[in-house]
Amino acid sequence: MWESVALTLAGTAGNNIGKVLQKKGTLILPPLSLKLKVVKAYASNQLWISGFLMDMCGAALMLTALSQAPVSVVQPIAGCGLAILCVFSHFYLKEVMNGLDWVAITLAGLGTIGVGAGGEEQKVDQIPLLNIPWLVLSVVILFVLLNTWLHMYKKQRREQELTGPEVIEEIIYGLESGILFGISSVISKMGFVMSEMGFPKIVVPAAISCSVCCSAIGFVYQTRGLKHGRAIVVSTCTSVASIVSGVVAGMIALDEHLPKAPTARFFLLLGWFFITTGVILLVSSTRLIARLPRPVQKFLKSNLERTHSIRRPGSARGKDPIPTTTIHTSSLHLLTSPTKEKA
């Protein structure tokens, strides 16, 4: 189990850090296209190539982890990618972090230890095929309800000419993208399980292809949310929905279950709670600090951050050396949405 935990951490670190390096590399590159000149420019950019290779290696490690451990273990730990990204951006990109950020990272780390200690290898003798149609139907109905709610909300906003943050739209797009990311992991795991059960080997690439399609659709929904709303809300909903949907779908479609031993079950549930709390706290730390009493704010802010705040009044977080680069992102998927990024 600890090997799978290590693979997941390495995979999600490669995904997140790779995406950051790709984004920084694109700052001096033209928009990605199939033109030979553009392709050569990307291929000759060492920073972008390094990020791309790290991203691909991270994806391979995540698939390896899914082939060895339950989704209920892999998916929550993958949510720690944000914490790893923050540590990387702090030490490598010199981004400023406040006290709550470090508390959140600590919670995510403790949660990872809890999941590793409480998780157990599960041998799947058979896939409950009758549960899969019900799972698909439930997801479809949920998406229909969410999109109906979104349509009614947009219509109301147009009629009343409302302005300001579109909170409902942010939440719905975040939930939809997170659900798709969670289901994507379950589909990949199903391919490995079916292969072990004696199904034709073609089920593995077929499942991975379906998983990639789900992730791509999730990118589309996330991009819509980021375009019309605030990243902090969209990313929080995406991260939490990804963890919850992955765990629930794994239990329904793959017959995964909680550990039978009370102690192991306690550590697993506590790990899930710590990771989810850490992710939520990490993406909302700046806003939370702004609502706290001033003495508490001074205590939580680092000396380096206070220096930045003096230079830029109202700033709660420092900037990285390149102002146009968004580094403090909110999820595994935030930096590579298809319509918002160059690569």
Side-chain angles (χ1 to χ4, degrees):
M1 185 57 61
W2 287 108
E3 180 183 351
S4 300
V5 171
L7 287 172
T8 305
L9 286 174
T12 190
N15 288 147
N16 283 274
I17 296 174
K19 288 176 174 61
V20 171
L21 294 179
Q22 287 180 72
K23 183 172 178 66
K24 289 183 71 67
T26 59
L27 293 176
I28 59 173
L29 294 173
L32 182 61
S33 67
L34 296 179
K35 294 180 179 179
L36 182 60
K37 183 178 180 181
V38 175
V39 173
K40 286 183 177 181
Y42 276 80
S44 61
N45 187 290
Q46 293 184 356
L47 194 60
W48 188 89
I49 287 293
S50 299
F52 176 77
L53 292 176
M54 288 191 68
D55 199 3
M56 293 299 100
C57 290
L61 291 173
M62 288 291 292
L63 288 174
T64 305
L66 281 170
S67 69
Q68 299 179 2
V71 179
S72 56
V73 171
V74 174
Q75 193 65 23
I77 295 176
C80 294
L82 174 60
I84 297 173
L85 176 60
C86 288
V87 174
F88 172 78
S89 62
H90 175 71
F91 289 103
Y92 177 71
L93 301 172
K94 309 304 179 185
E95 181 177 294
V96 179
M97 295 175 62
N98 57 52
L100 280 183
D101 288 332
W102 291 112
V103 171
I105 290 172
T106 302
L107 285 175
L110 293 175
T112 300
I113 296 174
V115 171
E120 62 181 15
E121 295 183 9
Q122 300 181 16
K123 181 67 176 179
V124 181
D125 298 322
Q126 62 178 4
I127 294 179
L129 297 176
L130 294 178
N131 291 349
I132 296 177
W134 289 108
L135 176 62
V136 174
L137 181 62
S138 300
V139 172
V140 170
I141 291 175
L142 180 59
F143 268 69
V144 170
L145 293 175
L146 288 174
N147 282 288
T148 301
W149 183 19
L150 180 61
H151 176 74
M152 295 172 61
Y153 174 73
K154 286 183 175 180
K155 183 178 179 181
Q156 182 183 15
R157 285 182 64 89
R158 286 195 299 267
E159 291 175 352
Q160 299 181 6
E161 297 182 354
L162 298 176
T163 58
E166 302 174 357
V167 180
I168 301 300
E169 191 168 350
E170 296 167 343
I171 294 174
I172 291 176
Y173 281 134
L175 291 176
E176 289 177 333
S177 60
I179 291 171
L180 287 168
F181 294 145
I183 295 296
S184 172
S185 297
V186 174
I187 294 175
S188 295
K189 178 64 176 180
M190 283 182 63
F192 293 116
V193 171
M194 294 175 72
S195 176
E196 293 176 358
M197 293 172 59
F199 284 82
K201 296 297 183 181
I202 190 67
V203 297
V204 175
I208 293 176
S209 299
C210 292
S211 174
V212 171
C213 290
C214 281
S215 294
I217 299 173
F219 285 139
V220 173
Y221 279 109
Q222 190 178 52
T223 300
R224 291 179 180 178
L226 294 173
K227 179 179 180 181
H228 299 288
R230 295 161 295 178
I232 184 173
V233 178
V234 177
S235 57
T236 302
C237 293
T238 298
S239 299
V240 175
S242 175
I243 293 173
V244 174
S245 62
V247 171
V248 173
M251 292 181 172
I252 295 174
L254 297 171
D255 201 24
E256 294 183 355
H257 52 79
L258 293 175
K260 296 179 181 179
T263 304
R265 186 186 302 120
F266 170 77
F267 277 118
L268 183 63
L269 293 175
L270 187 65
W272 289 351
F273 174 75
F274 277 175
I275 290 174
T276 304
T277 304
V279 169
I280 295 174
L281 189 60
L282 200 54
V283 297
S284 58
S285 61
T286 301
R287 187 160 297 195
L288 285 175
I289 286 180
R291 296 177 180 273
L292 294 175
R294 192 170 297 277
V296 180
Q297 292 185 32
K298 292 181 179 180
F299 175 76
L300 289 174
K301 289 181 179 181
S302 64
N303 291 330
L304 180 59
E305 185 174 10
R306 288 201 295 269
T307 302
H308 279 260
S309 298
I310 293 174
R311 264 187 278 169
R312 288 183 71 249
S315 173
R317 193 182 292 271
K319 296 291 184 180
D320 67 79
I322 303 178
T324 56
T325 304
T326 302
I327 298 301
H328 200 290
T329 56
S330 52
S331 75
L332 179 66
H333 311 279
L334 184 58
L335 284 174
T336 54
S337 53
T339 58
K340 295 290 286 183
E341 298 295 338
K342 298 177 182 178

